[in-house]
Amino acid sequence: MAVRTRTDRYSNGYGGYKGSRSPVAEAFRVLRTNLQFAAVDKDLKVIMVSSASPDEGKSTVAQYLAQAIAQTGKKVMMLDADLINPTLHRRLGLSNQRGLSNLIMGDADTTVITSLKDYPSLSVITSGPIPPNSSELLGSARMKLLMDRLREEYDMIIMDTPPIVPVTDAVVASSLADGVILVVQAGRTRSGEVRHAQEVLEEAHATLLGVVLNRARRRVNDYYYARTSGTEPSTPEEVTPGS
């Protein structure tokens, strides 16, 4: 699966809830559809969104994907598991005084879950205070119990994590996910970084669902090939990158 998008920094949404036909909304609907096809032979309930390096747009992709899925009426949880440099609370204008780190430590309850006004079926757990031992928290038994509980309560969980190459958090978190989406920024991410991120995920036995090429320029007759479980469809589908 490969999808080309172009996103803006710190935007509250792409307008998909009100039926927007904007290019970026279309791109994320394509991504949503690709995930539905990928889920035919496997249960994709928890999807981790990460990148090889910082500032490639992973949090934007996580947010827009969660909104696109919630638009279908599914009960979706958007989880900010980036306990190093969280951004979802700023993007959504939410408080981050309490969140995931508090839940893992047993210092909070479900009152930290926020529902978004414009997306009735979408809930958010922000990161909470940044802990000194983020990878240990993500790999803890309490985190696993929390994820098991969220799996029972939500149709899909979109988990934003730190980038893969600089820290171990994303690799640890990948054990909690059914699949990983890797975000690559066009014209910025080095191929060596992408290969290294793929190798790290393979060593962790994580399932790489595909790549989202972010901030790609729109071109006439641009196509992508959706890759699912190592296979390509017989005909390409057109992608309309975001603006």
Side-chain angles (χ1 to χ4, degrees), residues 4 129 167 174-175 188 211 216:
R4 299 158 70 94
V167 293
S174 69
S175 65
R188 181 182 184 278
V211 174

Side-chain angles (χ1 to χ4, degrees), residues 98-100 102-103 108-114 124-126:
R98 299 171 73 79
L100 178 60
N102 301 101
L103 279 173
D109 54 26
T110 54
T111 57
V112 302
I113 299 176
T114 302
V124 181
I125 297 178
T126 63

